[in-house]
Amino acid sequence: MKKFFALALSLMMAFSLVACGSGNTPAASAGSATGSAEGSAAVSDANVGVFYYSFSDTYISSVRTALDAQLEAAGLKYQDYDGNSNQTTQNEQIDTAITSGTTLLIVNLVTSGSSDSAAAIAEKAKTAGIPVIFFNRAVEEDGKEGTVLGAYDNIAFVGTDAPEAGHMQGQMIGQYVVDNYDAMDLNGDGKISYAMFKGDASNVEAIYRTQYGVEDANTIIEAAGKPALTYFDASNTDGFQLDLQGNWSAQAANEYMTTNLSQYTEANGNMIELIICNNDNMAEGCISALNAAGYNLGSGQDGKTIPVFGVDATDSAKQLIADGKMTGTIKQDADGMAEAITYLASNAAAGKDLMDSTDSYTKDTANNLNNKIFIAYQAYSG
């Protein structure tokens, strides 16, 4: 981090801001600044294309805000593109950007965990002779690590270690349940019934969060001599409810939870007593449904609170936790991710290797991928 801020400071001191043209399409937005600690011609000539899977995703919006600010501080001209959850749209945007003179691709892949989709974009970058930095959404399937990231010298990934959030969430939930077991057991049957909201079926983050959020919680709960968590709907053998659009949306979670609460109630003796969500958007949707049913009204309000856990630590989730409506979340560090991306982008703009002077970052050493940076998660409960 010190290296980045030193570079950013020298960039801002050496050059003044200049304006850049606006995007040509509604799906793009632009920003710029100039400067360089070394290789000023390279930095001033840099033209960065940043491709987001969807502007509407709350967490991705926080990354976009942070990344826009840090690219400007580093003196890098950039343009943002909204893939609108469509891989074909994103591919076409990348083609157009390369034709228009983009010198660096920063890509939040629409089809998460697809080595085919990622390889196609990497090949476009390789053919154009420009670097590509993937971020946030996995570019390779489990067991295929290095298929894309090891096939092109001028490529990198900045994201998270997928299982980590699930493990951390599971540990947070497990300890909370042990500490509050009797209060949570609303129907007095000696066990805790939970609902799980997965998000995207193929997303590796969603897969691991779904698995470890429950498994790790049960390890702690059973070690304390309590029965393992029980999924609320015995007829659902998957053990989760899925956003069929793959958007991790508050709306989908709200609709599911509203339906759940029409059938599973304290009066019926089968109340859902714990809610686990793979992101904060879905947690917010569940809380809205709970509010409508008279639960989770906040600190100092009448009524009971069903523990709700999410992932991302968005600003709105933090406020819900502060208000006593949500129990906890796992912070996915948008600022840290933006900082690492900008550091690599600054290396590229200065004519350096993408991974120059990045030894301080955590890498995927298990798969011997020095060009894969992990940004750590953090537990957050207020």
Side-chain angles (χ1 to χ4, degrees), residues 15 42 63 132 286 339 342 347 351 362 371:
F15 294 84
V63 176
V132 57
C286 289
E339 176 202 321
T342 304
N347 277 343
T362 300
N371 59 347

Side-chain angles (χ1 to χ4, degrees), residues 342-364:
T342 304
Y343 191 86
L344 302 188
S346 296
N347 277 343
K352 300 179 181 179
D353 184 88
L354 275 178
M355 304 308 294
D356 185 66
S357 301
T358 59
D359 290 346
S360 61
Y361 288 107
T362 300
K363 308 287 185 60
D364 186 2

Side-chain angles (χ1 to χ4, degrees), residues 166-225:
H167 286 307
M168 294 182 73
Q169 189 190 55
Q171 291 161 14
M172 175 185 279
I173 292 168
Q175 192 57 56
Y176 183 89
V177 172
V178 169
D179 292 343
N180 299 276
Y181 204 95
D182 291 341
M184 291 178 64
D185 185 12
L186 297 179
N187 58 8
D189 63 356
K191 57 187 178 182
I192 304 300
S193 297
Y194 75 96
M196 163 67 77
F197 295 86
K198 185 173 183 179
D200 182 353
S202 62
N203 184 286
V204 67
E205 299 276 359
I207 292 168
Y208 281 125
R209 291 172 194 178
T210 301
Q211 177 182 351
Y212 294 125
V214 176
E215 283 186 6
D216 287 20
N218 280 336
T219 296
I220 294 171
I221 293 165
E222 291 181 298

Side-chain angles (χ1 to χ4, degrees), residues 1 12 32 40 48 52 75 79 85 87 98 101 136 142 161 173 205 255 268 271 283 288 290 307:
M1 183 178 290
M12 290 186 286
S32 71
S40 59
V48 181
Y52 294 92
Q79 184 151 325
S85 298
Q87 189 63 63
I98 291 173
N136 175 252
D142 278 357
D161 186 7
I173 292 168
E205 299 276 359
E255 290 172 355
N268 291 339
M271 182 66 187
S288 294
L290 288 167

Side-chain angles (χ1 to χ4, degrees), residues 13-256:
M13 291 176 65
F15 294 84
S16 60
L17 273 160
V18 298
C20 90
S22 61
N24 294 323
T25 68
S29 62
S32 71
T34 63
S36 174
E38 61 177 282
S40 59
V43 171
S44 62
D45 289 342
N47 184 13
V48 181
V50 190
F51 303 86
Y52 294 92
Y53 101 89
S54 175
F55 282 177
S56 65
D57 183 290
T58 302
Y59 173 71
I60 290 302
S61 293
S62 67
V63 176
R64 182 184 171 203
T65 298
L67 187 54
D68 283 356
Q70 294 197 33
L71 289 173
E72 290 194 17
L76 299 174
K77 183 173 68 175
Y78 66 92
Q79 184 151 325
D80 293 337
Y81 296 84
D82 181 6
N84 199 26
S85 298
N86 187 304
Q87 189 63 63
T88 299
T89 297
Q90 187 173 79
N91 292 345
E92 291 171 349
Q93 290 171 337
I94 289 171
D95 288 337
T96 300
I98 291 173
T99 300
S100 300
T102 291
T103 59
L104 168 65
L105 306 178
I106 299 176
V107 182
N108 178 221
L109 190 67
V110 171
T111 311
S112 178
S114 170
S115 56
D116 288 342
S117 296
I121 293 170
E123 186 61 31
K124 294 175 190 289
K126 184 176 182 179
T127 300
I130 61 177
V132 57
I133 302 168
F134 289 100
F135 73 98
N136 175 252
R137 293 165 74 85
V139 298
E140 298 160 333
E141 300 86 349
D142 278 357
K144 293 187 176 182
E145 290 83 358
T147 302
V148 178
L149 296 178
Y152 177 35
D153 290 338
N154 222 358
I155 190 171
F157 176 83
V158 178
T160 54
D161 186 7
E164 185 180 22
H167 286 307
M168 294 182 73
Q169 189 190 55
Q171 291 161 14
M172 175 185 279
I173 292 168
Q175 192 57 56
Y176 183 89
V177 172
V178 169
D179 292 343
N180 299 276
Y181 204 95
D182 291 341
M184 291 178 64
D185 185 12
L186 297 179
N187 58 8
D189 63 356
K191 57 187 178 182
I192 304 300
S193 297
Y194 75 96
M196 163 67 77
F197 295 86
K198 185 173 183 179
D200 182 353
S202 62
N203 184 286
V204 67
E205 299 276 359
I207 292 168
Y208 281 125
R209 291 172 194 178
T210 301
Q211 177 182 351
Y212 294 125
V214 176
E215 283 186 6
D216 287 20
N218 280 336
T219 296
I220 294 171
I221 293 165
E222 291 181 298
K226 303 290 187 181
L229 300 173
T230 302
Y231 191 69
F232 78 98
D233 181 2
S235 67
N236 181 341
T237 57
D238 289 331
F240 58 78
Q241 290 176 300
L242 180 70
D243 184 340
L244 297 178
Q245 302 303 314
N247 292 329
W248 310 64
S249 73
Q251 180 180 349
N254 179 271
E255 290 172 355
Y256 276 128

